[in-house]
Amino acid sequence: MKEEKHLFTSESVSEGHPDKLCDQISDAILDAALIQDPLSRVACESMVTFGKLFVAGELTTKAKIDYEKVARHVIKEVGYDSDEMGFNYKTCEVQTHIQSQSPDIAMGVDKGGAGDQGMMFGFACDETKELMPLPIALAHKLVRELTKIRKQGELDYLRPDSKSQVTIEYQNDKPVHIDAIVISTQHNKNVALEKIEKDVKNILIKRVIPANLFDAKTKIFVNPTGRFEIGGPQGDTGLTGRKIIVDTYGGYGAHGGGAFSGKDPSKVDRSAAYFARYLAKNVVASGAARQCEIQIAYAIGVAEPVSVLIDTFGTGQYADNQIVQVLRQLFDFTPNGIISQLDLRRPIYQKTAAYGHFGREEEGFTWEKTNAAQKIRQALENSGAASSESKKSK
């Protein structure tokens, strides 16, 4: 058999990236609403640019929220706390434009229907212990560790905005080698590129990258333009929901196009995508497949999905339609059912808004649990036996 090779690349961005800053502000406002009123309907969008923040959206809630205070606190936490950073939580202008949810949308949500139409995807594979694709898993770990190094003061020249990119070489669909790593990190004006390159290679990469995947052939690019002093909202306008591939699987599998941040769980863009990940991860954890992608589609105002599709890419121990049937029997796919099963009416969302919504086995990330793997495996075994008996009777 001929050995097949290919490269696959994923990127991540830090919490100081302007788009991620907006995601965190939108989700912090969502959390503030859910703390006071778990039934809040929230669709909150943020935009940052040089010296300015705009917050707009539709909120129907009993909560009393100081939107400006919430937003400034997020900006401070991220690290934009002085004019030297190019954006300052104390002095930036904040404008808010908030109204109630459309009554036309509310009619459908009030009766338990989906808050919008659309299709959502979940994915899992056995490349990492978190059952995530390796390229995005490593890309997230790189920028997360870089942020930790910055916040702990280990490298005092670092600034909040940074990006990572990881290219993995696959042989016969298995990751075998890191072909390239790209790190772009904002810095102060007093540090030389040679110093940044040395620190990234000797501190960051050595801490994060597995030694068995990294060798002298691995290409490393650090601040490839030569300088990254101007970053964050000073360098680039940021918007909520503009990093949907970073938020999910790094380009692996399909994406329905809906963003997550700033949306309460009645919006299936978010809750059904979390649920699809939960199901896909538990299918892989059950041993039923090495890869699993699930699509769930909804019509606005309708509780049950219009379709559920599974693709195990030829790695399944059971037929894909057989897995669909078992999942439909075991789980409630309605928006209210998803919210209940994953306990989503809690203020858990700000921390999801940077470093990926998936692959993080932390408190609050209920969709990352594999507590359904055993019952899925048992149900599939029973359905397999039933199928065999049915064939014999014919």
Side-chain angles (χ1 to χ4, degrees), residues 162-174:
S162 62
K163 286 185 169 185
S164 66
Q165 188 170 285
V166 177
T167 300
I168 300 290
E169 178 186 332
Y170 286 79
Q171 292 182 7
N172 297 327
D173 289 327
K174 293 185 180 297

Side-chain angles (χ1 to χ4, degrees), residues 44-58:
C44 181
E45 313 292 339
S46 303
M47 182 181 83
V48 291
T49 187
F50 188 25
K52 298 180 186 295
L53 163 66
F54 303 89
V55 179
E58 298 77 46

Side-chain angles (χ1 to χ4, degrees), residues 73-363:
H73 179 70
V74 172
I75 298 166
K76 179 183 179 182
E77 278 188 326
V78 168
Y80 290 112
D81 55 7
S82 71
D83 292 339
E84 184 185 356
M85 301 292 175
F87 198 68
N88 189 342
Y89 80 96
K90 300 174 186 174
T91 58
C92 66
E93 179 185 347
V94 178
Q95 294 186 26
T96 60
H97 304 272
I98 304 295
Q99 59 186 1
S100 297
Q101 183 182 60
S102 161
D104 293 350
I105 295 174
M107 282 194 302
V109 180
D110 288 344
K111 63 183 183 181
D116 201 353
Q117 70 177 47
M119 60 281 187
M120 299 81 211
F121 290 87
F123 182 81
C125 63
D126 62 0
E127 291 181 15
T128 65
K129 67 180 182 63
E130 303 91 351
L131 304 184
M132 286 287 285
L134 184 60
I136 189 65
L138 291 178
H140 284 324
K141 288 176 181 178
L142 283 166
V143 284
R144 200 170 193 183
E145 183 64 26
L146 191 61
T147 297
K148 182 180 176 182
I149 290 170
R150 170 178 65 86
K151 288 189 169 182
Q152 291 181 345
E154 190 173 349
L155 298 176
D156 60 5
Y157 59 80
L158 293 175
R159 295 295 181 258
D161 194 359
S162 62
K163 286 185 169 185
S164 66
Q165 188 170 285
V166 177
T167 300
I168 300 290
E169 178 186 332
Y170 286 79
Q171 292 182 7
N172 297 327
D173 289 327
K174 293 185 180 297
V176 296
H177 179 253
I178 296 176
D179 186 76
I181 298 171
V182 183
I183 300 291
S184 296
T185 182
Q186 188 186 8
H187 58 85
N188 69 23
K189 62 182 179 181
N190 300 318
V191 64
L193 177 60
E194 292 75 18
K195 166 69 171 169
I196 302 173
E197 288 178 331
K198 181 180 177 182
D199 289 341
V200 165
K201 292 176 182 178
N202 294 335
I203 299 175
L204 175 65
I205 289 177
K206 283 189 175 180
R207 286 183 189 174
V208 173
I209 300 301
N212 64 312
L213 295 175
F214 179 86
D215 59 27
K217 295 181 180 179
T218 301
K219 300 179 284 291
I220 301 174
F221 303 93
V222 180
N223 286 7
T225 66
R227 188 174 69 243
F228 188 4
E229 291 177 27
I230 299 172
Q234 182 183 14
D236 193 11
T237 298
L239 294 169
T240 299
R242 203 159 59 174
K243 285 290 177 284
I244 59 176
I245 300 303
V246 171
D247 284 343
T248 51
Y249 308 101
Y252 254 79
H255 196 296
F260 300 155
S261 289
K263 297 177 181 178
D264 75 86
S266 73
K267 279 75 172 174
V268 285
D269 272 344
R270 182 169 219 158
S271 55
Y274 287 0
F275 188 56
R277 162 63 178 172
Y278 175 70
L279 296 178
K281 186 172 185 179
N282 277 274
V283 166
V284 173
S286 76
R290 290 189 296 105
Q291 293 185 34
C292 182
E293 179 181 271
I294 298 180
Q295 183 205 64
I296 310 173
Y298 291 88
I300 188 169
V302 180
E304 291 290 343
V306 297
S307 68
V308 178
L309 175 69
I310 284 182
D311 189 349
T312 57
F313 306 96
T315 70
Q317 301 298 310
Y318 300 87
D320 291 347
N321 63 352
Q322 191 175 355
I323 300 174
V324 170
Q325 290 171 6
V326 163
L327 295 183
R328 293 305 304 267
Q329 291 167 4
L330 292 178
F331 298 96
D332 184 348
F333 281 69
T334 66
N336 285 340
I338 292 170
I339 290 167
S340 176
Q341 290 167 94
L342 298 182
D343 196 12
L344 296 179
R345 292 200 186 280
R346 296 177 296 144
I348 57 174
Y349 296 104
Q350 184 185 344
K351 63 182 177 180
T352 70
Y355 313 115
H357 294 246
F358 307 128
R360 296 169 60 182
E361 296 171 341
E362 306 166 27
E363 179 65 30

